Amino acid sequence: MGASGAAFTAAIDVDAWDPIAAAPLDDATLQGAARGSGMRADPVAPPFDDEMKALVVDRMLEALEAKVPPLARGLVGPSEYGLVVGCDEETPTFYARTYFDKTEQPTKLDWSAFAKDGRVVFLDRAGAPDRAAIARAAVEGAVATAEASDRALAIWIAALRDDARWTDTRHAGAAAFGDHAMRTLLADKRTAAASFLRTTRALFAGSPGADLLRAAESYGYVADAAKKVGIGPFGASVATRFLDAGHRRSWAKQLEAALGHERDAHEALRAARAGMR
């Protein structure tokens, strides 16, 4: 997520509280992430006629043999990406791993999984990435989206403190899930941002490298704040805590402190960008 710039962003659907708004699922993120890993993304979207189905199966088998399993989006309903880890060309039958797997075994699927929103992304090996150029582009993107990210977090904080919004217990589960998923995404993004900046700081001597490290530390504090409140699997206890106004206010306070660290990170990234050559 660091190379694509997604690790530095924050977004929110203030009306529907849909965590998909915060998820890095856009094409620009996909292509940026592929470039950062020395790959080229080749997405293929439905509808698939018989000829296209045959081509997709052939490419899947080639990708699996090359040990570069294709990404697939929307296979089990939600629009997150998973991996196609196996393919039986006779039926054909596809085997996928997704965040929503209920067992340790891959999910078994057929073509119907791709009928609506299913999307396959093949990853072709490209030349070695220019790490310095990728780092500069990521920092540029982080600076460009800083204000929008700050606004999203401020809106999130205000919503958590709006007790009247959460009085309808009929929708409490969906609201709690949205908040929990957004918090988990925020922790994942900022952990990735901190890791990316720490690994790329050596590419820039002097003050830019120090500024990148300062930004990494600030993003680490943001991730810690989210983890302290709770991330990971969603359950009934998470929904129950969200219904408690005191818990929401505590989370809002943590998020407000995180917003301060976000602004520190943005300041450091602006300084790093100014000194990069």
Side-chain angles (χ1 to χ4, degrees):
M1 283 195 288
S4 69
F8 307 99
T9 63
I12 189 169
D13 179 351
V14 68
D15 295 320
W17 213 243
D18 186 347
I20 291 298
L25 298 173
D26 57 283
D27 286 341
T29 296
L30 173 66
Q31 296 295 342
R35 283 194 300 273
S37 57
M39 309 295 283
R40 182 180 62 83
D42 182 13
V44 181
F48 299 130
D49 58 21
D50 289 343
E51 183 178 356
M52 181 58 75
K53 286 179 179 179
L55 290 173
V56 168
V57 168
D58 286 345
R59 288 205 64 185
M60 280 187 179
L61 293 172
E62 291 173 1
L64 292 169
E65 185 177 357
K67 301 189 184 306
V68 186
L71 301 171
R73 177 177 169 182
L75 294 182
V76 293
S79 57
E80 283 80 358
Y81 279 103
L83 285 173
V84 177
V85 296
C87 176
D88 180 354
E89 61 182 317
E90 293 299 324
T91 313
T93 301
F94 308 101
Y95 300 89
R97 297 311 309 255
T98 76
Y99 181 77
F100 302 93
D101 290 347
K102 293 181 172 60
T103 70
E104 293 298 318
Q105 299 302 314
T107 300
K108 188 176 179 180
L109 304 165
D110 58 24
W111 278 116
S112 64
F114 300 90
K116 185 179 179 183
D117 298 319
R119 186 186 193 202
V120 183
V121 180
F122 296 101
L123 299 171
D124 301 320
R125 288 190 172 89
D130 183 339
R131 294 182 62 213
I134 288 170
R136 289 190 194 94
V139 170
E140 287 279 356
V143 171
T145 59
E147 290 187 11
S149 293
D150 286 352
R151 282 196 302 272
L153 294 180
I155 290 169
W156 193 354
I157 293 165
L160 289 169
R161 288 174 171 161
D162 182 6
D163 290 343
R165 175 171 182 162
W166 314 112
T167 55
D168 187 352
T169 57
R170 292 174 300 173
H171 302 114
F177 175 79
D179 180 75
H180 184 76
M182 289 189 293
R183 183 167 57 248
T184 300
L185 281 167
L186 181 65
D188 286 349
K189 285 183 173 184
R190 297 311 183 256
T191 298
S195 176
F196 177 79
L197 294 173
R198 289 190 180 103
T199 57
T200 56
R201 64 179 291 266
L203 300 173
F204 304 97
S207 59
D211 290 327
L212 293 179
L213 182 58
R214 184 158 58 95
E217 291 175 348
S218 294
Y219 281 131
Y221 293 140
V222 177
D224 289 344
K227 292 173 184 176
K228 181 178 180 180
V229 176
I231 62 173
F234 178 79
S237 62
V238 177
T240 301
R241 285 198 302 272
F242 185 79
L243 280 174
D244 178 58
H247 172 78
R248 291 196 305 272
R249 292 191 196 103
S250 176
W251 167 219
K253 185 176 180 180
Q254 291 281 346
L255 196 54
E256 192 167 48
L259 179 54
H261 293 305
E262 287 273 312
R263 289 168 175 158
D264 290 342
H266 297 156
E267 179 185 350
L269 289 175
R270 291 187 187 98
R273 181 189 61 175
M276 284 180 173
R277 296 290 184 270

